[in-house]
Amino acid sequence: MTNEQHGFSTRAIHAGSEPDPRTGAVTPAIYQTSTYKQDGVGGFREGYEYSRSANPTRTALETCLAAIEGGSRGFAFASGLAAEDTLMRAVLQPGDHMIIPTDAYGGTFRLVDKVVKRWGVDYSLAKVGQADAIRGEIRPGVTKLIWIETPTNPLLGIADIAAVAQVAHEVGALLVVDNTFASSYLQQPLALGADVVMHSTTKYAGGHSDVVGGALVVGEGKDELAETVAFHQNSLGAVAGPMDSWLVLRGLKTLAVRMEAHCNNAEKVVEYLQSRKDVTNIYYPGLESHPGHDIAAKQMKRFGGMISFQLDGGEQNAVDAIGRTKVWTLGESLGGVESLIEHPARMTHASVRGTELEVPADLIRLSVGIEDVDDLIADLDQALR
Ligand SMILES: *Cc1c(COP(=O)(O)O)cnc(C)c1O
């Protein structure tokens, strides 16, 4: 058994993963089952009756998620967006209002703007870096949810979680933090006052680009909220399957060592980029010149594995450079052991061209993996020319 006094990795490795009492197996089984034998009508064992409602492999993951985020209950979903959708439907009613970041993850913006809004929920955009900007969008009595990401994608904007939590709680709104970019290891939003943490476990939590998943973790002492989320998880049914739960759980066990390696490599890549005259702007919260640096230093253990930068020479030059990499894989997503490179304006953020969420055309985004950093830098060097 683990407890809150144990360190992060002890919890990540053991919480939810007790050795099997029957066989001694140290790794939780993949319970690839939809249903469970009942000992007489209604006599189900340990609460398992049907795998949408609960499955032991998913329970193992959900226990681990709650333990590593310092929350009361974890919930695992089929994707990050399934987690988001479930939470929004659990806590919002027609007529309510929510606030989301101007540079929210594109899928979050689409969910809110194209789906949730149709059900009568209004929203406003606010710059996450400014708690005052968020305060300015509050509609007293109507704003029920404040949604932030920090760092944001792809410009690595930083929100002050504790300051935004205070703004939210002054008006009785919930604060949800999308902790995907930082990971549970680098940042603990519940301890800073957030009510719910959300993850795309597809990214750092899974860590190996082999699974799509999502998670919600509800903070301590919020039993009613946790019950509401549990009810909606079962009612909407977008749950993580046993195999996917197992993959994410396995990923979490090495999260700390992977994140340290991602951070080490990212810092060296930033140093390399700083040495280049054709790199005009580097977005990395570890840089003192980054506007969110002080807040990031306060609320993050280290600064993460994501870097964006602008390359002199315009859009086509950036696109050409990206196409020349050999060790870096050209692709969307992030957070895996392998390094990925992409062009946000044409790829992940193509849908926000011409809106206030538009990103610079010469921007390149890196998800720095954990390969040998010299190989990563040499490959960037030949690609950038
Ligand atoms: C990928 C991502 C999501 C969405 O998660 P999916 O698993 O792709 O559904 C949400 N937020 C952030 C920050 C992401 O990077």
Side-chain angles (χ1 to χ4, degrees), residues 44-62:
F44 31 87
R45 303 174 195 182
E46 297 181 36
Y48 294 107
E49 74 180 295
Y50 183 63
S51 280
R52 171 165 33 72
S53 311
N55 172 282
T57 317
R58 198 175 90 220
T59 303
L61 170 60
E62 291 177 334

Side-chain angles (χ1 to χ4, degrees), residues 327-365:
V327 180
W328 297 75
T329 302
L330 170 53
E332 301 190 355
S333 198
L334 62 112
V337 290
E338 65 290 307
S339 292
L340 297 174
I341 189 166
E342 68 118 358
H343 185 257
R346 286 197 193 170
M347 294 170 62
T348 48
H349 292 67
S351 63
V352 296
R353 263 203 190 204
T355 73
E356 61 179 300
L357 307 186
E358 185 172 78
V359 297
D362 57 1
L363 192 76
I364 295 175
R365 189 187 80 175

Side-chain angles (χ1 to χ4, degrees), residues 75-279:
F75 302 91
F77 296 88
S79 70
L81 282 173
E84 297 188 23
D85 179 39
T86 302
L87 183 75
M88 288 177 198
R89 290 210 247 172
V91 303
L92 295 170
Q93 311 285 341
D96 286 349
H97 171 251
M98 68 185 289
I99 299 172
I100 61 172
T102 45
D103 52 352
Y105 173 73
T108 302
F109 178 71
R110 183 178 57 199
L111 172 65
V112 171
D113 182 57
K114 297 280 192 294
V115 182
V116 176
K117 197 177 157 192
R118 283 202 339 256
W119 300 97
V121 172
D122 201 7
Y123 73 89
S124 306
L125 300 171
K127 286 213 161 67
V128 291
Q130 304 163 3
D132 285 344
I134 293 175
R135 198 188 293 277
E137 294 300 331
I138 297 248
R139 300 181 194 165
V142 184
T143 303
K144 295 289 164 57
L145 187 62
I146 298 179
W147 188 282
I148 59 173
E149 271 175 61
T150 182
T152 60
N153 177 23
L155 295 174
L156 286 302
I158 299 291
D160 186 334
I161 298 172
V164 180
Q166 200 180 337
V167 171
H169 296 153
E170 275 168 21
V171 296
L174 291 175
L175 173 64
V176 181
V177 177
D178 181 340
N179 204 21
T180 300
F181 259 47
S183 84
S184 316
Y185 176 67
L186 295 180
Q187 182 168 273
Q188 302 256 279
L190 297 176
L192 296 164
D195 298 288
V196 181
V197 167
M198 175 261 152
H199 283 276
S200 167
T201 54
T202 313
K203 316 293 168 54
Y204 287 110
H208 296 73
S209 305
D210 53 9
V211 63
V212 171
L216 296 174
V217 180
V218 176
E220 292 287 355
K222 299 178 169 71
D223 296 346
E224 207 179 313
L225 178 60
E227 278 308 317
T228 303
V229 172
F231 174 80
H232 284 81
Q233 182 192 38
N234 186 41
S235 301
L236 295 168
V239 295
M243 181 75 203
D244 290 354
S245 296
W246 189 87
L247 283 167
V248 175
L249 184 63
R250 183 170 73 163
L252 290 179
K253 292 175 197 288
T254 56
L255 182 63
V257 286
R258 284 189 285 108
M259 291 315 298
E260 291 288 349
H262 284 294
C263 293
N264 288 341
N265 280 1
E267 285 170 12
K268 296 226 174 71
V269 169
V270 165
E271 256 171 52
Y272 162 74
L273 292 173
Q274 283 180 304
S275 75
R276 292 192 65 101
K277 290 206 172 55
D278 55 353
V279 171

